[in-house]
PDB file of all heavy atoms in Angstrom:
ATOM      1  N   GLY U  50     164.020 182.908  71.320  1.00 89.00           N
ATOM      2  CA  GLY U  50     164.711 182.473  72.524  1.00 89.00           C
ATOM      3  C   GLY U  50     166.157 182.061  72.308  1.00 89.00           C
ATOM      4  O   GLY U  50     166.853 181.727  73.247  1.00 89.00           O
ATOM      5  N   GLN U  51     166.620 182.097  71.070  1.00 91.00           N
ATOM      6  CA  GLN U  51     168.017 181.747  70.822  1.00 91.00           C
ATOM      7  C   GLN U  51     168.948 182.914  71.127  1.00 91.00           C
ATOM      8  O   GLN U  51     168.557 184.075  70.970  1.00 91.00           O
ATOM      9  CB  GLN U  51     168.194 181.355  69.352  1.00 91.00           C
ATOM     10  CG  GLN U  51     168.125 179.866  69.125  1.00 91.00           C
ATOM     11  CD  GLN U  51     168.600 179.493  67.728  1.00 91.00           C
ATOM     12  OE1 GLN U  51     168.572 180.291  66.805  1.00 91.00           O
ATOM     13  NE2 GLN U  51     169.035 178.258  67.592  1.00 91.00           N
ATOM     14  N   VAL U  52     170.145 182.595  71.539  1.00 92.00           N
ATOM     15  CA  VAL U  52     171.155 183.628  71.709  1.00 92.00           C
ATOM     16  C   VAL U  52     172.257 183.314  70.706  1.00 92.00           C
ATOM     17  O   VAL U  52     172.896 182.276  70.783  1.00 92.00           O
ATOM     18  CB  VAL U  52     171.724 183.628  73.123  1.00 92.00           C
ATOM     19  CG1 VAL U  52     172.721 184.746  73.267  1.00 92.00           C
ATOM     20  CG2 VAL U  52     170.607 183.788  74.128  1.00 92.00           C
ATOM     21  N   VAL U  53     172.451 184.205  69.764  1.00 93.00           N
ATOM     22  CA  VAL U  53     173.352 183.919  68.663  1.00 93.00           C
ATOM     23  C   VAL U  53     174.464 184.941  68.636  1.00 93.00           C
ATOM     24  O   VAL U  53     174.222 186.143  68.744  1.00 93.00           O
ATOM     25  CB  VAL U  53     172.579 183.944  67.322  1.00 93.00           C
ATOM     26  CG1 VAL U  53     173.504 183.670  66.169  1.00 93.00           C
ATOM     27  CG2 VAL U  53     171.451 182.934  67.350  1.00 93.00           C
ATOM     28  N   ALA U  54     175.686 184.457  68.489  1.00 90.00           N
ATOM     29  CA  ALA U  54     176.817 185.373  68.364  1.00 90.00           C
ATOM     30  C   ALA U  54     177.133 185.563  66.898  1.00 90.00           C
ATOM     31  O   ALA U  54     177.054 184.635  66.110  1.00 90.00           O
ATOM     32  CB  ALA U  54     178.024 184.798  69.075  1.00 90.00           C
ATOM     33  N   PHE U  55     177.503 186.772  66.602  1.00 89.00           N
ATOM     34  CA  PHE U  55     177.790 187.116  65.232  1.00 89.00           C
ATOM     35  C   PHE U  55     179.253 187.522  65.215  1.00 89.00           C
ATOM     36  O   PHE U  55     179.627 188.544  65.784  1.00 89.00           O
ATOM     37  CB  PHE U  55     176.892 188.286  64.871  1.00 89.00           C
ATOM     38  CG  PHE U  55     176.566 188.389  63.424  1.00 89.00           C
ATOM     39  CD1 PHE U  55     176.815 187.350  62.556  1.00 89.00           C
ATOM     40  CD2 PHE U  55     175.986 189.537  62.931  1.00 89.00           C
ATOM     41  CE1 PHE U  55     176.495 187.453  61.228  1.00 89.00           C
ATOM     42  CE2 PHE U  55     175.652 189.654  61.599  1.00 89.00           C
ATOM     43  CZ  PHE U  55     175.916 188.608  60.750  1.00 89.00           C
ATOM     44  N   LEU U  56     180.097 186.692  64.614  1.00 86.00           N
ATOM     45  CA  LEU U  56     181.535 186.940  64.703  1.00 86.00           C
ATOM     46  C   LEU U  56     182.122 187.269  63.358  1.00 86.00           C
ATOM     47  O   LEU U  56     181.573 186.940  62.315  1.00 86.00           O
ATOM     48  CB  LEU U  56     182.251 185.707  65.258  1.00 86.00           C
ATOM     49  CG  LEU U  56     181.739 185.137  66.571  1.00 86.00           C
ATOM     50  CD1 LEU U  56     182.567 183.938  66.954  1.00 86.00           C
ATOM     51  CD2 LEU U  56     181.802 186.198  67.652  1.00 86.00           C
ATOM     52  N   GLY U  57     183.291 187.889  63.410  1.00 84.00           N
ATOM     53  CA  GLY U  57     183.994 188.213  62.183  1.00 84.00           C
ATOM     54  C   GLY U  57     185.000 189.303  62.462  1.00 84.00           C
ATOM     55  O   GLY U  57     184.882 190.027  63.457  1.00 84.00           O
ATOM     56  N   ALA U  58     186.001 189.407  61.588  1.00 81.00           N
ATOM     57  CA  ALA U  58     187.024 190.431  61.764  1.00 81.00           C
ATOM     58  C   ALA U  58     186.395 191.804  61.554  1.00 81.00           C
ATOM     59  O   ALA U  58     185.266 191.912  61.073  1.00 81.00           O
ATOM     60  CB  ALA U  58     188.142 190.203  60.765  1.00 81.00           C
ATOM     61  N   ASN U  59     187.130 192.861  61.891  1.00 80.00           N
ATOM     62  CA  ASN U  59     186.635 194.217  61.634  1.00 80.00           C
ATOM     63  C   ASN U  59     186.368 194.380  60.149  1.00 80.00           C
ATOM     64  O   ASN U  59     187.177 193.983  59.322  1.00 80.00           O
ATOM     65  CB  ASN U  59     187.679 195.257  62.052  1.00 80.00           C
ATOM     66  CG  ASN U  59     187.766 195.359  63.555  1.00 80.00           C
ATOM     67  OD1 ASN U  59     186.779 195.159  64.251  1.00 80.00           O
ATOM     68  ND2 ASN U  59     188.942 195.660  64.051  1.00 80.00           N
ATOM     69  N   GLY U  60     185.225 194.997  59.839  1.00 79.00           N
ATOM     70  CA  GLY U  60     184.917 195.258  58.441  1.00 79.00           C
ATOM     71  C   GLY U  60     184.426 194.034  57.686  1.00 79.00           C
ATOM     72  O   GLY U  60     184.298 194.060  56.474  1.00 79.00           O
ATOM     73  N   ALA U  61     184.132 192.946  58.404  1.00 83.00           N
ATOM     74  CA  ALA U  61     183.680 191.740  57.713  1.00 83.00           C
ATOM     75  C   ALA U  61     182.228 191.859  57.267  1.00 83.00           C
ATOM     76  O   ALA U  61     181.804 191.167  56.367  1.00 83.00           O
ATOM     77  CB  ALA U  61     183.851 190.529  58.624  1.00 83.00           C
ATOM     78  N   GLY U  62     181.481 192.758  57.902  1.00 86.00           N
ATOM     79  CA  GLY U  62     180.089 192.946  57.505  1.00 86.00           C
ATOM     80  C   GLY U  62     179.077 192.664  58.610  1.00 86.00           C
ATOM     81  O   GLY U  62     177.880 192.656  58.364  1.00 86.00           O
ATOM     82  N   LYS U  63     179.572 192.453  59.836  1.00 88.00           N
ATOM     83  CA  LYS U  63     178.660 192.163  60.954  1.00 88.00           C
ATOM     84  C   LYS U  63     177.712 193.322  61.217  1.00 88.00           C
ATOM     85  O   LYS U  63     176.499 193.167  61.258  1.00 88.00           O
ATOM     86  CB  LYS U  63     179.450 191.954  62.267  1.00 88.00           C
ATOM     87  CG  LYS U  63     180.368 190.799  62.275  1.00 88.00           C
ATOM     88  CD  LYS U  63     181.200 190.830  63.557  1.00 88.00           C
ATOM     89  CE  LYS U  63     181.876 192.147  63.691  1.00 88.00           C
ATOM     90  NZ  LYS U  63     183.200 192.237  64.166  1.00 88.00           N
ATOM     91  N   THR U  64     178.317 194.513  61.426  1.00 87.00           N
ATOM     92  CA  THR U  64     177.503 195.669  61.791  1.00 87.00           C
ATOM     93  C   THR U  64     176.548 196.024  60.656  1.00 87.00           C
ATOM     94  O   THR U  64     175.399 196.382  60.902  1.00 87.00           O
ATOM     95  CB  THR U  64     178.407 196.853  62.147  1.00 87.00           C
ATOM     96  OG1 THR U  64     179.339 196.409  63.123  1.00 87.00           O
ATOM     97  CG2 THR U  64     177.615 197.994  62.705  1.00 87.00           C
ATOM     98  N   THR U  65     177.028 195.909  59.420  1.00 89.00           N
ATOM     99  CA  THR U  65     176.165 196.192  58.276  1.00 89.00           C
ATOM    100  C   THR U  65     174.946 195.283  58.293  1.00 89.00           C
ATOM    101  O   THR U  65     173.809 195.741  58.116  1.00 89.00           O
ATOM    102  CB  THR U  65     176.947 195.990  56.967  1.00 89.00           C
ATOM    103  OG1 THR U  65     178.126 196.771  57.022  1.00 89.00           O
ATOM    104  CG2 THR U  65     176.126 196.400  55.779  1.00 89.00           C
ATOM    105  N   THR U  66     175.176 193.998  58.530  1.00 92.00           N
ATOM    106  CA  THR U  66     174.052 193.061  58.576  1.00 92.00           C
ATOM    107  C   THR U  66     173.097 193.428  59.700  1.00 92.00           C
ATOM    108  O   THR U  66     171.877 193.452  59.526  1.00 92.00           O
ATOM    109  CB  THR U  66     174.573 191.624  58.783  1.00 92.00           C
ATOM    110  OG1 THR U  66     175.577 191.371  57.819  1.00 92.00           O
ATOM    111  CG2 THR U  66     173.454 190.621  58.634  1.00 92.00           C
ATOM    112  N   MET U  67     173.673 193.758  60.855  1.00 91.00           N
ATOM    113  CA  MET U  67     172.832 194.096  61.989  1.00 91.00           C
ATOM    114  C   MET U  67     172.008 195.353  61.698  1.00 91.00           C
ATOM    115  O   MET U  67     170.838 195.442  62.069  1.00 91.00           O
ATOM    116  CB  MET U  67     173.709 194.309  63.212  1.00 91.00           C
ATOM    117  CG  MET U  67     172.961 194.057  64.489  1.00 91.00           C
ATOM    118  SD  MET U  67     174.063 194.114  65.879  1.00 91.00           S
ATOM    119  CE  MET U  67     174.134 192.440  66.401  1.00 91.00           C
TER     120      MET U  67
END
Side-chain angles (χ1 to χ4, degrees):
Chain U
Q51 264 192 336
V52 182
V53 179
F55 207 14
L56 307 180
N59 287 329
K63 297 173 306 220
T64 308
T65 306
T66 309
M67 205 173 250

